[in-house]
Amino acid sequence: MGDDVFFLLLYHQGEPYLNPHFLEFVKLAKAKNIYCTTSTNGHYFDEETVNATIDSGLDSMIVSLDGVTQESYERYRVNGKLDKVLEGVRRFAEIKKRRKSKTPLIALQFLVMKHNEGELPAIRKLARELGADRLLIKNIEVHSVQEAREWLPADEKFRRYRFDGEKLIVKNSDKKSCPRPWFSTLINWDGGLVPCCFDKNGDFEMGNINAIEHFESVWLNEKFREFRRRLNTDRKSIEMCRNCNQGLGSFIPEFKLGKKKARK
């Protein structure tokens, strides 16, 4: 598929650096001139790994940093070590500078929740101090009123939902369709192909690439065609789509370092 793919995300609901072949995957993609990105919890940035990542040609990465104190950080990132992440990101930026490498671009991602929304000024300052290239402010996904009460921030601007304490409604839920299943797809670790990253548990698996000879036999099969038809005609009947308002976008709003104005 390499001649047809131009953008590759090497992550989904897991830590890429746990896979010993991860950077080999990156090298294979770069040999086909494919833009390659990933997302990590930032706990594995020793000097050897940082240099190997730069050598692989990885274009960009997201580093999750959902708190500026250990107490705030581990509330969501259970058993995570904030100091280890900060030290690793700082080391990564320093090695990039020393090697005069522009890649990978480092984007810190801050998931706004009830317990950390007051840390937004501090995370912007910290991102600059660490030498990150971008700061991504992301809203949290919840699936119940109970979760909403526990996690949703007070500031409406950082909510994906309208929530009055009793009823949870996804903003922009009146979308008629979504372009993702026509432009992209997701292949899980076991070869199962699903429409997008919102299908976290493989509930809408369209086929398995290990059981076919050509990708098109899944991409164009009747099961996938029927899913697209359903998305176009009855989007709200698909549970994972009812809880999504992102389309092709992933991060709202976005703050670029050094600028105060938000862009949605």
Side-chain angles (χ1 to χ4, degrees):
M1 294 168 58
D3 292 333
D4 299 313
V5 175
F6 61 88
F7 190 89
L8 177 64
L9 296 88
L10 284 172
Y11 65 94
H12 184 228
Q13 303 299 312
E15 172 53 49
Y17 281 96
L18 289 179
N19 190 317
H21 305 293
F22 166 55
L23 294 179
E24 294 302 317
F25 299 161
V26 176
K27 290 178 181 178
L28 285 170
K30 296 311 299 178
K32 288 288 187 177
N33 200 32
I34 300 170
Y35 185 97
C36 198
T37 188
T38 195
S39 182
T40 173
N41 61 36
H43 280 67
Y44 301 91
F45 292 158
D46 57 66
E47 185 151 345
E48 180 181 356
T49 301
V50 170
N51 278 295
T53 301
I54 294 172
D55 291 340
S56 73
L58 184 71
D59 293 285
S60 63
M61 65 166 58
I62 294 168
V63 180
S64 296
L65 189 60
D66 304 313
V68 298
T69 68
Q70 178 61 29
E71 180 182 7
S72 174
Y73 176 77
E74 68 180 349
R75 173 81 183 274
Y76 185 77
R77 300 285 166 183
V78 179
N79 293 326
K81 305 298 181 186
L82 177 63
D83 287 345
K84 192 169 187 178
V85 179
L86 298 180
E87 179 185 351
V89 173
R90 191 175 288 111
R91 177 184 295 116
F92 212 127
E94 290 173 352
I95 293 176
K96 272 179 57 182
K97 185 177 181 180
R98 185 171 71 233
R99 293 187 52 174
K100 299 180 180 179
S101 176
K102 293 182 178 180
T103 57
L105 295 174
I106 299 174
L108 293 188
Q109 177 179 284
F110 186 79
L111 191 60
V112 185
M113 295 167 277
K114 178 184 288 187
H115 66 275
N116 71 3
E117 62 183 313
E119 298 177 350
L120 280 163
I123 193 66
R124 294 187 190 109
K125 182 173 182 287
L126 182 59
R128 286 190 291 268
E129 291 174 352
L130 291 174
D133 298 290
R134 296 178 65 196
L135 174 61
L136 304 173
I137 307 298
K138 189 177 182 183
N139 52 30
I140 190 169
E141 176 186 348
V142 297
H143 295 91
S144 68
V145 169
Q146 183 178 349
E147 287 185 355
R149 290 171 180 166
E150 181 178 2
W151 296 106
L152 286 187
D155 192 334
E156 186 70 25
K157 178 172 57 177
F158 299 108
R159 288 185 176 188
R160 186 184 298 181
Y161 314 86
R162 290 191 295 274
F163 181 59
D164 60 6
E166 298 296 333
K167 193 174 182 180
L168 192 65
I169 301 174
V170 181
K171 294 177 181 177
N172 299 322
S173 59
D174 57 346
K175 287 185 176 181
K176 300 302 181 184
S177 187
C178 172
R180 287 193 180 194
W182 281 268
F183 294 126
S184 65
T185 192
L186 188 143
I187 301 170
N188 279 314
W189 66 273
D190 60 355
L193 188 147
V194 297
C196 76
C197 62
F198 258 68
D199 190 3
K200 296 178 174 61
N201 297 312
D203 295 327
F204 293 90
E205 185 172 309
M206 301 299 160
N208 192 296
I209 62 166
N210 294 319
I212 60 173
E213 185 174 353
H214 299 292
F215 172 74
E216 288 83 357
S217 63
V218 175
W219 180 250
L220 299 175
N221 69 16
E222 183 54 32
K223 191 173 183 180
F224 213 160
R225 288 175 185 267
E226 175 56 32
F227 179 87
R228 295 184 183 105
R229 281 194 291 267
R230 184 179 171 191
L231 184 61
N232 264 347
T233 58
D234 193 13
R235 182 178 183 272
K236 290 185 178 181
S237 71
I238 307 172
E239 184 178 357
M240 70 172 181
C241 299
R242 288 200 303 270
N243 199 26
C244 174
N245 64 358
Q246 296 186 5
L248 287 177
S250 296
F251 308 101
I252 53 173
E254 174 187 325
F255 294 88
K256 291 189 177 181
L257 299 187
K259 296 184 179 181
K260 295 181 180 180
K261 186 177 180 181
R263 184 185 56 160
K264 293 186 179 181

